[in-house]
Amino acid sequence: MNIDIVTIFPEYFAPLDLSLLGKARRGGLLDLHVHDLRGWTHDRHRTVDDTPYGGGPGMVMKPEPWGEALDAVVPSGTAARLIIPTPSGRPFTQALAAEYAAEPRLVFACGRYEGIDSRVAADAATRMPVDEVSLGDFVLAGGEVAVLVMVEAIARLLPGVLGNADSVADDSFAPGAMESLLEGPVYTKPPVWRDRPIPEILLSGHHGAIARWRRDEALRRTARVRPELLARLAPGDLDAHDREV
Ligand SMILES: CN1CCC[C@H](Cn2ccc3ccc(-c4n[nH]c(N)c4C#N)cc32)C1
């Protein structure tokens, strides 16, 4: 997969050289490039923003640098999906992360100030799919942190990036049986810590019983923390035992 990120704060993305993502980039699983939007300014002050038409607080990112940047990063005749983080976007979900992980090329546009002039998305949409996406109902100061989150959520789904492919299937919100359930508790050595033992079932070696216990714990935690997720389950997703948990 190819990912390009355009931002006025390239240094925000230094963490993408670390850990799993850094290893995926060095291993050739992920080709990721960060571009400084100011590289497409032409004035002495490298201006990327201006006052909003119609008045109002703050500044808006100018369309010209963005237009030139996206023309350079996605030349005509090449394909990419443009993702613009914004609090007014569609929710970013595990399902959307999986959809993006199947794309050959993603371009992320990181806005700042009050956002990017809306004509930029309209212009880009004439030659590539454009998604305006939100991480959730809260307000960040810009798109960079949102892109870090999305890139990690997407890249960990790429074949070979995670050490143990099984762990993706067990994710909360992963497609399939666990799709709408939260993960249950996890434990490791020592077997007793500060007088707290681990659940005995996990030492039993009975894999079927352990799987059942884990699903029960996932159902209990989901009912306690996110009951609305249970409402998303199809009637066939819960067996008779599930309904008794
Ligand atoms: C007061 N104004 C309101 C509009 C947005 C301004 C800051 N900003 C500029 C660019 C930008 C990009 C994303 C986000 C953002 N915030 N919350 C989320 N879930 C996001 C996501 N994805 C925020 C952003 C602040």
Side-chain angles (χ1 to χ4, degrees):
M1 170 180 277
N2 286 282
I3 293 180
D4 288 276
I5 301 169
V6 183
T7 172
I8 59 171
F9 294 123
E11 57 274 26
Y12 249 97
F13 296 98
L16 295 181
D17 293 331
L18 305 173
S19 187
L20 284 174
L21 289 187
K23 187 178 174 186
R25 294 175 72 183
R26 289 185 293 276
L29 294 174
L30 176 62
D31 187 16
L32 186 144
H33 298 279
V34 181
H35 310 270
D36 185 343
L37 178 69
R38 295 189 194 276
W40 287 280
T41 60
H42 306 290
D43 63 301
R44 188 156 60 95
H45 299 293
R46 311 186 81 198
T47 307
V48 293
D49 62 310
D50 204 334
T51 54
Y53 274 124
M59 304 290 274
V60 173
M61 299 194 93
K62 293 168 58 62
E64 301 96 325
W66 276 107
E68 289 186 35
L70 294 177
D71 287 349
V73 171
V74 188
S76 62
T78 63
R81 189 162 183 178
L82 177 62
I83 300 165
I84 306 175
T86 169
S88 55
R90 65 188 282 208
F92 180 71
T93 62
Q94 188 69 15
L96 194 52
E99 185 180 324
Y100 287 156
E103 292 283 342
R105 185 162 185 226
L106 302 173
V107 177
F108 290 90
C110 298
R112 277 275 153 172
Y113 312 106
E114 291 309 306
I116 302 171
D117 183 302
S118 297
R119 291 169 291 181
V120 171
D123 176 67
T126 64
R127 58 194 188 83
M128 69 186 93
V130 178
D131 292 344
E132 294 183 297
V133 177
S134 170
L135 282 196
D137 294 337
F138 47 84
V139 182
L140 301 169
E144 285 80 7
V145 167
V147 170
L148 276 170
V149 168
M150 288 192 266
V151 166
E152 177 159 315
I154 294 161
R156 67 185 290 277
L157 298 176
L158 299 176
V161 171
L162 282 189
N164 176 358
D166 293 349
S167 60
V168 171
D170 294 345
D171 277 351
S172 287
F173 313 110
M178 295 296 286
E179 184 157 359
S180 292
L181 298 182
L182 303 180
E183 285 108 345
V186 290
Y187 303 92
T188 187
K189 303 180 189 61
V192 180
W193 177 70
R194 294 188 180 179
D195 297 329
R196 296 175 185 274
I198 66 162
E200 281 190 29
I201 186 72
L202 298 179
L203 299 174
S204 69
H206 296 308
H207 299 298
I210 290 170
R212 178 76 261 177
W213 178 86
R214 283 177 167 156
R215 182 170 171 82
D216 290 354
E217 288 301 308
L219 284 162
R220 290 191 187 100
R221 176 175 286 190
T222 306
R224 185 175 73 250
V225 176
R226 294 286 303 278
E228 78 280 5
L229 293 181
L230 292 179
R232 283 174 19 188
L233 287 172
D237 287 337
L238 294 176
D239 62 31
H241 175 92
D242 291 340
R243 290 188 180 82
E244 291 171 8
V245 171

